[in-house]
């Protein structure tokens, strides 16, 4: 309750018509406190909402969907946006906590003149390229991929029949059953829980290619079906549980393996664009084939199932910076973050 001081005074008696006559109140209220200011209080920067009119959890859900290439401009909006977007680790930690995942194509490439290796990353949602810090290794190197090891060459250039698998729990490599054939594998795929390894075809095709199939449950290798190994003439991906191969000797056409007839069926659609030149690195994302060629030219093949055994592929080109022209892909992998 506000205290007031009440005062009373008698107005002088004046005659009607007097020019000096004034109408004064009988009582005058004098407040003991000054009137409050009408200006709104300023909130500290850290208490301002991320997006005015939205709860912070809804606003955060929106900001975590911003493409990485837009972060530089968005950091200038306010201190809270800068705090969220300036640190990539913090940004992706929030995305992971909210269950947001986007596909990224990580390509390990080496410069064909200097031999230096580097990582290039393609955001498969916005199709924008990004760079990540270099690997702590020697200046000159020629990497040979990563993952499970089967076959290969020994230090004295003899083909091997050994195979090893990585134990992810203990972080150690463990030997598995011998392949039963000395071969330097060129491609492999996992179909139906079994590992298929082929040495591929090589011009001038004097010998038939060899291939082995590993059953992890029985820890046993067996020979690959003849039709499968004869037609495995390129790099493979597995889509819809089927084995697809981009042939290196048939104008880069795509074909799919039919296990019932032990044969390869052509996939409808145009061949891969001619600007994609070997060496290639191939990976897949759901029903898409992602191919990286020399100069890190990338095309995405959209595979569509037309019937129970017929497929169609359409190719989409991805823009690549001119600075990548001297880079050659060694391997690529699609990860989600």
């Amino acid at each position: 309750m506000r205290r007031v001081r009440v005062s009373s005074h008698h107005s002088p008696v004046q005659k009607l018509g007097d020019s000096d006559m004034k109408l004064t109140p009988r009582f005058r209220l004098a407040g003991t406190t000054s009137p409050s200011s009408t200006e709104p209080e300023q909130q500290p920067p850290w208490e301002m909402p991320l997006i005015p009119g939205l709860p912070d959890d809804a606003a955060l859900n929106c900001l975590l969907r911003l493409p990485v290439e837009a972060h530089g401009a968005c950091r200038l909006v306010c201190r809270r946006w800068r705090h969220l977007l300036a640190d990539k680790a913090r940004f992706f930690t929030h995305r992971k906590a909210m269950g947001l995942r986007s596909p990224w194509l990580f390509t390990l490439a080496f410069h064909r003149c200097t031999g230096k290796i580097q990582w290039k990353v393609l955001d498969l949602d916005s199709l924008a390229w990004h760079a990540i810090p270099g690997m702590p290794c020697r200046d000159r190197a020629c990497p040979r991929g990563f993952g499970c090891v089967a076959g290969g060459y020994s230090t004295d250039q003899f083909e091997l029949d050994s195979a090893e698998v990585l134990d992810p729990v203990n972080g150690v490599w463990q030997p598995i059953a011998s392949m039963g054939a000395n071969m330097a594998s060129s491609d492999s795929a996992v179909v139906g829980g079994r590992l298929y390894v082929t040495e591929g075809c090589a011009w001038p095709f004097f010998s038939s290619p060899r291939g082995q199939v590993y059953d992890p449950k029985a820890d046993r290798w067996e020979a690959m079906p003849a039709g499968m190994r004869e037609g495995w003439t390129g790099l493979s991906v597995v889509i819809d549980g089927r084995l697809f191969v981009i042939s290196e000797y048939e104008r880069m056409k795509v074909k799919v393996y039919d296990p019932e007839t032990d044969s390869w069926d052509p996939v409808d659609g145009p061949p891969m664009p001619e600007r994609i030149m070997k060496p290639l690195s191939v990976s897949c994302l759901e029903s898409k084939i992602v191919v990286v060629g020399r100069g890190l030219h990338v095309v995405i093949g959209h595979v569509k199932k037309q019937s129970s055994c017929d497929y169609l592929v359409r190719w989409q080109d991805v823009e690549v910076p001119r600075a990548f022209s001297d880079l050659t892909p060694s391997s690529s992998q699609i990860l989600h973050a």
Side-chain angles (χ1 to χ4, degrees):
M1 179 180 295
R2 189 176 64 177
R3 293 184 177 183
V4 297
R5 178 165 49 86
V6 180
S7 64
S8 175
H9 69 280
H10 296 282
S11 300
V13 178
Q14 296 175 335
K15 295 181 180 180
L16 292 176
D18 190 345
S19 60
D20 294 332
M21 185 179 66
K22 296 179 180 179
L23 297 178
T24 58
R26 179 66 183 268
F27 297 97
R28 183 172 65 238
L29 299 179
T32 58
T33 59
S34 61
S36 59
S37 174
T38 59
E39 296 182 0
E41 295 183 1
Q42 295 293 330
Q43 288 182 295
W46 294 108
E47 295 182 5
M48 296 290 290
L50 279 172
I51 299 178
L54 285 180
D56 269 6
D57 55 350
L60 182 62
N61 197 307
C62 296
L63 294 180
L64 292 177
R65 301 174 189 272
L66 287 172
V68 175
E69 59 269 19
H71 287 190
C74 293
R75 286 199 298 263
L76 304 177
V77 173
C78 64
R79 289 183 61 183
R80 293 194 67 187
W81 283 37
R82 183 169 67 248
H83 178 74
L84 173 66
L85 302 177
D87 189 336
K88 293 292 189 297
R90 181 184 300 113
F91 177 79
F92 284 103
T93 299
H94 281 297
R95 281 180 57 88
K96 182 178 179 181
M98 298 193 69
L100 300 177
R101 288 157 47 93
S102 297
W104 298 76
L105 176 67
F106 287 76
T107 301
L108 181 62
F110 62 94
H111 197 284
R112 61 183 178 183
C113 298
T114 65
K116 292 183 178 180
I117 64 174
Q118 51 190 293
W119 285 97
K120 299 297 181 182
V121 185
L122 176 65
D123 183 350
L124 290 175
D125 282 342
S126 61
L127 299 181
W129 284 95
H130 303 274
I132 60 177
M135 296 174 60
C137 59
R138 297 179 179 178
D139 290 339
R140 300 183 64 86
C142 185
R144 289 292 181 181
F146 46 84
C148 181
V149 176
Y153 289 102
S154 63
T155 55
D156 50 5
Q157 296 301 305
F158 284 99
E159 293 180 342
L160 301 174
D161 65 350
S162 60
E164 292 81 26
V165 65
L166 177 65
D167 181 356
V169 177
N170 299 317
V172 296
W173 290 91
Q174 296 180 348
I176 57 177
S178 172
M179 296 176 63
N182 293 358
M183 54 183 287
S185 60
S186 67
D187 194 28
S188 61
V190 176
V191 184
R194 308 178 78 191
L195 174 64
Y196 293 78
V197 179
T198 177
E199 65 178 355
C201 296
W203 180 263
F205 311 119
F206 286 145
S207 61
S208 176
R210 294 170 296 176
Q212 297 291 105
V213 184
Y214 177 66
D215 184 351
K217 294 182 179 179
D219 189 23
R220 183 180 66 247
W221 292 86
E222 60 186 44
M224 183 182 293
M228 187 181 199
R229 68 171 186 265
E230 292 285 349
W232 198 326
T233 56
L235 299 178
S236 64
V237 293
V238 178
I239 296 177
D240 194 27
R242 303 288 298 275
L243 181 65
F244 290 77
V245 163
I246 300 176
S247 178
E248 298 183 13
Y249 305 103
E250 302 167 51
R251 296 188 60 226
M252 298 294 186
K253 290 284 288 184
V254 181
K255 53 187 177 181
V256 58
Y257 178 68
D258 185 355
E260 295 183 359
T261 61
D262 190 25
S263 62
W264 295 85
D265 300 324
V267 175
D268 294 337
M272 197 167 58
E274 294 183 356
R275 73 189 188 102
I276 304 298
M277 295 182 291
K278 297 185 291 185
L280 306 177
S281 179
V282 181
S283 52
C284 69
L285 173 65
E286 298 174 349
S287 61
K288 302 174 184 177
I289 304 175
V290 183
V291 184
V292 185
R294 188 189 308 170
L296 299 197
H297 289 287
V298 176
V299 291
I300 301 175
H302 299 264
V303 179
K304 182 179 180 181
K305 191 173 184 178
Q306 301 185 108
S307 63
S308 59
C309 58
D310 293 333
Y311 291 86
L312 172 70
V313 62
R314 296 295 183 190
W315 296 101
Q316 174 189 3
D317 279 309
V318 177
E319 294 293 331
V320 60
R322 188 181 298 271
F324 292 0
S325 59
D326 288 327
L327 295 178
T328 300
S330 173
S331 58
S332 62
Q333 185 75 26
I334 295 178
L335 303 176
H336 289 76

